[in-house]
Amino acid sequence: MSRFVVFLTLIALLPTLSFSFTPESPTDRRILVLLDDVSLKSSHSLFFKSLQSRGFELEFKLADDPKISLQRYGQYLYDGLILFSPTIERFGGSVDLAAILDFVDSGHDLIMSADVSASDLIREIATECGVEFDEDPAAMVIDHTSFAVSDTEGDHTLIVSDDFIKSDVILGKEKIEAPVLFRGIGHSTNPANSLVLKALSASPAAYSANPKSKLSNPPSLTGSAISLVSVVQARNNARVLISGSLSMFSNRLFRSGVQKAGSSTKHEKSGNEQFLTELSRWVFHERGHLKAVNVSHQNVGEANEPSMYRIKDDLEYSVEIYEWSGTSWEPYVAEDVQVQFYMMSPYVLKTLSTNQKGLYYTAFKVPDVYGVFQFKVEYQRLGYTSLSLSKQIPVRPFRHNEYERFITAAFPYYGSSFSMMAGFFIFTIVYLYNK
Amino acid sequence: MVGKMEAVNGVKSGSNSSPSTFQSAFFKPDLSLKSLKLKTKQQELLIRVSILTLVYILAFITRLFSVLRYESMIHEFDPYFNYRTTLFLTEKGFYEFWNWFDSESWYPLGRIIGGTLYPGLMVTAALIYSIIRFLRFAVHIREVCVLTAPFFASNTTIVAYFFGKELWDSGAGLVAAALIAICPGYISRSVAGSYDNEGVAIFALLLTFYLFVKAVNTGSLAWALASAFGYFYMVSAWGGYVFIINLIPLYAMVLLITGRYSMRLYVAYNCMYILGMLLAMQIRFVGFQHVQSGEHMAAMGVFFLMQVFYFLDWVKHLLSDTKLFQAFLRITVTCAVGVGAIALGVGTASGYISPWTGRFYSLLDPTYAKDHIPIIASVSEHQPTAWSSFMFDFHILLFLFPAGLYFCFKRLSDATIFIVMYGLTSMYFAGVMVRLILVATPAMCLISAIAVSATIKNLTQLVRTKSKVAHTGSSKGTTSGKASSKASLDQSLPFQRNGAVALLIGAFYLLCKYVTHCTWVTSEAYSSPSIVLAARGAYGNRVIFDDYREAYFWLRQNTPPDAKVMSWWDYGYQITAMGNRTVIVDNNTWNNTHIATVGRAMSSYEDEAYEIMRSLDVDYVLVVFGGVTGYSSDDINKFLWMVRIGGGVFPVIKEPDYLVNGEYRVDKGAAPKMLNCLMYKLSYYRFGELQTEYGKPPGYDRARGAEIGNKDIKLEYLEEAFTTSNWIVRIYKVKPPNNRW
């Protein structure tokens, strides 16, 4: 009996024990890092340190460790995954392509880095996320105009790029001054996929080819179509970062100075650290995460939500939208949040007013059409998680006793029927008694 | 029968009379004969009442096959909607019912149920239910609904009796009651569980006609008023009231033309038309149609014509000069017709008078629907009637009908003119549309009853007069009437008597055949609920396929309450009533575009269909598939109609794309579009792995007798959610959009 009580208490405590990704605090906490080589842990320590200093628990494992698994008993053990294992052909344990995709599809985040001679497995994961790496395994991004100036001439595979995605939400408010150093494989984004974004693009003069061999065919990837770093925000708001270079995360490139070819300014420190740190903040939901709560709608002047509206009712709609600042929920302020009153097409489209404290509200009249409507808020802004709220509500026509009882236009009819009745009455009397 | 009645009567008279008279009757047989003779009227009444009671009970119990075989359940498609609305009515009350806006059907348009149905049936059932509850019988509303149709069928026999009596005599009435009680044409729509409008409507139809004929015969305002109320009940119950409102003016018109115009007709018609119209306007679904729709204009025209006639009569009464009157008549009639034509033209042109509906057109021109309105043509009960179904539904009535017409013409009266017109027009309509056999049934029964009754009466008279002549001819003088008949008999007495006996036996044999035929048809053809299917197993045992209910209960238990289910419209009512889920389209086919959208989705490739389904927020797709069981009325067999209806609104869907050389097939030779459209994929998904029949390759479709052409079906945007045990219903879930794309 006492055992049973203990068991019950444990079960009751279970939810409080988990610190995982919850709607309440969307920032990830536990992150699994899969490495090709243990040495990466020290050679890329700056990147890992910055994550740990922000409160993430990193668990380092070798990618072919037979004991790794992402979930146990249907519960995910991690909130995020970093794949720094570009050459792995087969993960250890129960992790495979499907497991990683399921991990993302259940709302968890992923940072993966390919590199020159990336394995098929890594390529497949990228393909599933809408990113195609150059098919030639030896290909690298080469740029003869914007390469990093160094002591030796080299083959111009260490390129610099400052073609960032223009979004404060993704890259932070602070401008990245120094360009980013990159050495690795380029990729293209699938035009059919509207969710993938180029976070860092190559310059128009770049191309992707094997630097060691002579170029016999025109390169398949050229110019700014080449993406160096891409991000994906899935429909369930899971975020994925795909990079073509593992070395760009390394301490060496974080520390090294940079001078773009043909440019006189020499930066003491490359932009890599700032770029990747900010990007990892975004990927791990420290920024750009919105939530909508307290969606409510009611007739003007009433407190409770009705189960059904009537045509031509005046109604109020309100929703509270908050943004996650990394530690707490702050009111989200924008002027462009819109609500639709939708039945196959929007019958009402209104921009919501805000009180600057997170509350968005509006009032409108239900259109003169009955049917099953939806309040729809489809708020998709670059970098922010997409808000898509829909609430179904039927709109009914007037009841039989909700029309006006007497209308002026009908007075002739009332008059005629009453005069008819009176006339008939008089006629009857006259007919019966006037003989 | 007669002997039994006499015995009963004897006991009755004995108990009524004092012991002394009983004794005297016992000792003096001639006295008892006298007392019996005195009570002939009562005897006849008793026999009549007993026969009617038996017929009443027979009409009820012959419709109970389905309840005994299966269970007390609602049949078919439309009755499920009626059941659902009745349930709502009993739970929420009349005003909620009247104002009911149903957001669970026709998503996302919704349907104003209160304003788009004929409430008569539901109100009747709810009334019966509340009466039974008031009498403290704890019944479920479903039982009431199941038994409403048989109950009204029984009532119809009573009306048929009185109608027959009004038309001919009480003998014809009894025969009519007996004939209509078991006539398959009527039973097809009134078996227990067939809870449909027609169940009460035929009763209302016959009642209205009877009361109107009675009103015409008597010229009484009260009967005309009763007939107006009968009409009101009919309007509240079924859209077939249009038949009444066109037949009665036509009848009045015929009487006018044949010079049978009388004050009785004037009173009956005017009172019935005006009051009936006003009452009918109270039904929301009908509204102002009586003054605004082209289908009702004939009645109004005849109404005005009647006034002109009356006016002319009055003028004729005042003017003694016939020449003057002739001139006046010409002017008045020309003016009246001219004004009427102008009013009709202006009304139609200005749109005040709506043109005829497609259903009405297709009645007048049977090929109209086929060319213009595929949705009407697609319904099996709207097809032109095959000759065999006349035989099936009417049996000997088919031969008795002309005989009855002969008798009607022989004794022409206002009433017989009515029944002749009713019979002829309804026979025409029955030929146009198979379900209108139902409307023709009462007329067939009545006219046949006249034939049977008149024939048998004549024959028995022959037989009985003969014996009477032999017995009493010498002792007493015959009356003048009998003398004339005797005179005609005298020419070939022995032959005629034997002939009469033979004919009587023949008639008896025919009627017996009719009874066995009716019972057989009722038991074999019209008592299956069609929601539960039955088949014979290999050893003659009965196999029950309860897949429909299995699927609907799966939907009810396993899907979110606001899930939207897309299916072909046939199953809409059942899904909402039994599955309690929102449907896109249902059997109330009021919005052709919406149905065409579903038809288009079903006949498109999967990716195109996915877009359509997303735009309609579809969560589940339900298809009916008979390939495993050999059930032939499945969605693949209905599929061409989906293509036609879809193509009627969206020309991207073309019927020839689904046919090969004009041939519809599902095997390897089928059209590529056919093999890859959504309906094909959903029906045959994983069917290629299944061995359905011994000695046939896997994927052998038993309903169409062909090996399917696409055995390797991959679904990209949908996933199989549920397939019933015999594969009759298959439900697929629409996947959400790809997470990373």
Side-chain angles (χ1 to χ4, degrees), chain B residues 23-49:
Chain B
Q23 275 185 348
S24 66
F26 187 71
F27 288 117
K28 292 170 186 166
D30 55 323
L31 242 177
S32 92
L33 207 74
K34 227 174 207 173
S35 72
L36 274 178
K37 257 192 179 164
L38 276 177
K39 291 177 181 167
T40 318
K41 270 230 162 103
Q42 287 179 1
Q43 264 185 46
E44 202 199 331
L45 183 74
L46 189 71
I47 292 174
R48 231 188 290 157
V49 169

Side-chain angles (χ1 to χ4, degrees), chain B residues 162-310:
Chain B
F162 282 108
F163 203 175
K165 199 176 157 195
E166 191 66 31
L167 290 172
W168 202 256
D169 56 18
S170 58
L174 284 179
V175 178
L179 288 180
I180 204 169
I182 54 171
C183 185
Y186 185 27
I187 284 185
S188 66
R189 292 312 178 112
S190 61
V191 291
S194 162
Y195 180 55
D196 212 346
N197 291 333
E198 290 94 329
V200 300
I202 289 305
F203 165 76
L205 178 92
L206 207 58
L207 183 70
T208 313
F209 283 155
Y210 162 63
L211 292 170
F212 184 72
V213 168
K214 186 96 183 166
V216 171
N217 276 348
T218 57
S220 139
L221 263 181
W223 285 115
L225 180 68
S227 142
F229 274 101
Y231 178 63
F232 172 58
Y233 187 57
M234 175 71 190
V235 174
S236 77
W238 194 37
Y241 76 89
V242 178
F243 179 58
I244 299 185
I245 202 64
N246 282 303
L247 179 64
I248 285 184
L250 192 66
Y251 167 63
M253 192 74 188
V254 167
L255 286 193
L256 287 185
I257 289 170
T258 52
R260 285 175 166 269
Y261 168 78
S262 65
M263 206 56 204
R264 291 175 285 115
L265 177 69
Y266 182 81
V267 169
Y269 184 78
N270 287 333
C271 176
M272 190 267 164
Y273 175 64
I274 293 294
L275 289 174
M277 177 173 74
L278 287 177
L279 285 169
M281 282 183 185
Q282 311 310 311
I283 305 297
R284 267 181 85 190
F285 194 26
V286 177
F288 288 111
Q289 278 185 33
H290 275 78
V291 288
Q292 284 189 342
S293 124
E295 288 145 32
H296 302 74
M297 280 303 127
M300 189 179 268
V302 170
F303 171 71
F304 285 120
L305 203 66
M306 202 85 93
Q307 311 312 316
V308 172
F309 243 80
Y310 187 73

Side-chain angles (χ1 to χ4, degrees), chain B residues 320-611:
Chain B
S320 43
D321 188 358
T322 43
K323 224 177 183 183
L324 210 61
F325 176 71
Q326 285 296 330
F328 182 76
L329 182 73
R330 217 169 294 137
I331 293 167
T332 331
V333 168
T334 323
C335 284
V337 170
V339 168
I342 288 170
L344 195 69
V346 168
T348 314
S350 65
Y352 179 79
I353 298 174
S354 64
W356 289 350
T357 58
R359 249 171 249 236
F360 202 77
Y361 267 122
S362 58
L363 274 182
L364 301 181
D365 173 11
T367 58
Y368 180 82
K370 213 179 212 171
D371 301 336
H372 296 92
I373 324 162
I375 199 147
I376 290 181
S378 75
V379 182
S380 62
E381 59 184 26
H382 291 167
Q383 303 300 323
T385 317
W387 68 267
S388 57
S389 56
F390 276 112
M391 195 59 211
F392 197 65
D393 279 354
F394 291 136
H395 199 235
I396 59 163
L397 304 189
L398 217 51
F399 308 113
L400 293 175
F401 180 69
L405 284 183
Y406 164 76
F407 282 107
C408 286
F409 276 113
K410 217 176 161 193
R411 206 176 92 183
L412 215 55
S413 69
D414 288 356
T416 47
I417 289 181
F418 182 84
I419 196 67
V420 165
M421 290 187 57
Y422 175 25
L424 291 178
T425 48
S426 63
M427 273 306 275
Y428 167 73
F429 290 132
V432 173
M433 230 184 234
V434 71
R435 79 161 167 170
L436 291 180
I437 279 193
L438 179 70
V439 175
T441 305
M444 291 292 276
C445 289
L446 282 163
I447 294 176
S448 308
I450 290 172
V452 171
S453 170
T455 313
I456 290 186
K457 208 170 184 180
N458 287 349
L459 291 175
T460 43
Q461 245 167 22
L462 273 180
V463 175
R464 289 177 79 181
T465 359
K466 172 74 192 57
S467 60
K468 255 183 191 161
V469 166
H471 183 67
T472 56
S474 55
S475 60
K476 282 181 185 175
T478 49
T479 56
S480 61
K482 271 183 183 167
S484 66
S485 70
K486 193 186 139 198
S488 64
L489 286 176
D490 279 337
Q491 287 156 6
S492 58
L493 263 174
F495 174 73
Q496 206 155 33
R497 187 185 168 196
N498 292 343
V501 170
L503 279 177
L504 265 180
I505 291 171
F508 184 70
Y509 174 76
L510 270 184
L511 290 173
C512 285
K513 272 286 162 201
Y514 175 70
V515 172
T516 48
H517 171 82
C518 291
T519 317
W520 175 77
V521 167
T522 310
S523 137
E524 291 298 315
Y526 290 144
S527 290
S528 78
S530 94
I531 188 125
V532 177
L533 310 166
R536 294 269 171 219
Y539 306 105
N541 52 326
R542 230 150 59 97
V543 188
I544 296 283
F545 300 129
D546 204 355
D547 286 38
Y548 279 106
R549 294 198 292 178
E550 187 185 346
Y552 298 142
F553 285 116
W554 184 88
L555 275 179
R556 185 185 269 263
Q557 304 286 342
N558 296 287
T559 58
D562 61 347
K564 285 102 195 162
V565 183
M566 182 173 93
S567 71
W568 191 232
W569 58 265
D570 296 20
Y571 317 106
Y573 278 162
Q574 291 179 347
I575 295 172
T576 33
M578 279 193 272
N580 196 19
R581 292 295 174 267
T582 308
V583 293
I584 308 296
V585 292
D586 67 25
N587 309 46
N588 175 259
T589 52
W590 66 276
N591 189 326
N592 192 26
T593 315
H594 219 53
I595 291 183
T597 311
V598 172
R600 183 185 176 182
M602 293 296 191
S603 40
S604 300
Y605 294 124
E606 198 186 347
D607 50 344
E608 296 158 1
Y610 185 66
E611 293 296 316

Side-chain angles (χ1 to χ4, degrees), chain A residues 105 193 235-236 372 392 400, chain B residues 99 108 564 738-741:
Chain A
D105 286 347
N193 189 336
R235 282 184 216 278
N236 63 354
V372 181
Q392 186 175 314
H400 70 284
Chain B
N99 291 308
K564 285 102 195 162
N738 196 317
N739 191 32
R740 285 162 274 112
W741 284 83

Side-chain angles (χ1 to χ4, degrees), chain A residues 265-335:
Chain A
T265 44
K266 181 174 167 63
H267 297 274
E268 277 307 305
K269 200 161 158 279
S270 71
N272 284 32
E273 182 167 15
Q274 194 190 353
F275 174 68
L276 290 171
T277 309
E278 294 296 335
L279 212 51
S280 70
R281 275 184 202 278
W282 181 80
V283 168
F284 289 138
H285 288 267
E286 286 174 76
R287 201 166 45 217
H289 192 97
L290 298 179
K291 74 164 178 182
V293 289
N294 294 337
V295 180
S296 78
H297 56 89
Q298 60 272 325
N299 280 310
V300 170
E302 280 176 31
N304 292 329
E305 191 174 289
S307 61
M308 194 183 263
Y309 283 109
R310 196 188 67 187
I311 54 170
K312 295 181 179 174
D313 265 354
D314 288 301
L315 65 84
E316 296 170 328
Y317 178 85
S318 67
V319 57
E320 289 172 36
I321 302 179
Y322 297 99
E323 183 180 1
W324 180 249
S325 68
T327 49
S328 64
W329 290 102
E330 305 290 339
Y332 176 71
V333 180
E335 293 296 327

Side-chain angles (χ1 to χ4, degrees), chain A residues 230-242:
Chain A
S230 293
V231 290
V232 180
Q233 178 170 281
R235 282 184 216 278
N236 63 354
N237 292 328
R239 288 170 177 170
V240 180
L241 185 155
I242 298 166

Side-chain angles (χ1 to χ4, degrees), chain A residues 140-299:
Chain A
M140 294 179 86
V141 184
I142 305 171
D143 195 333
H144 297 300
T145 58
S146 47
F147 54 91
V149 177
S150 59
D151 301 337
T152 54
E153 181 55 23
D155 48 10
H156 298 168
T157 54
L158 181 65
I159 61 168
V160 295
S161 171
D162 49 7
D163 191 359
F164 304 114
I165 188 169
K166 286 168 192 63
S167 165
D168 285 354
V169 187
I170 296 178
L171 293 182
K173 291 205 170 51
E174 209 173 307
K175 192 169 182 296
I176 301 172
E177 294 292 344
V180 170
L181 288 167
F182 182 93
R183 186 206 296 273
I185 188 167
H187 60 255
S188 64
T189 57
N190 190 332
N193 189 336
S194 57
L195 299 171
V196 63
L197 301 167
K198 286 186 222 169
L200 183 69
S201 313
S203 81
Y207 64 95
S208 175
N210 185 352
K212 295 198 175 65
S213 65
K214 262 200 166 165
L215 205 56
S216 50
N217 300 320
S220 54
L221 284 176
T222 53
S224 41
I226 300 177
S227 174
L228 305 175
V229 177
S230 293
V231 290
V232 180
Q233 178 170 281
R235 282 184 216 278
N236 63 354
N237 292 328
R239 288 170 177 170
V240 180
L241 185 155
I242 298 166
S243 154
S245 160
L246 182 56
S247 59
M248 73 184 295
F249 293 89
S250 69
N251 295 356
R252 199 169 64 78
L253 290 191
F254 269 32
R255 287 280 159 73
S256 84
V258 60
Q259 184 182 8
K260 196 173 171 181
S263 160
S264 55
T265 44
K266 181 174 167 63
H267 297 274
E268 277 307 305
K269 200 161 158 279
S270 71
N272 284 32
E273 182 167 15
Q274 194 190 353
F275 174 68
L276 290 171
T277 309
E278 294 296 335
L279 212 51
S280 70
R281 275 184 202 278
W282 181 80
V283 168
F284 289 138
H285 288 267
E286 286 174 76
R287 201 166 45 217
H289 192 97
L290 298 179
K291 74 164 178 182
V293 289
N294 294 337
V295 180
S296 78
H297 56 89
Q298 60 272 325
N299 280 310

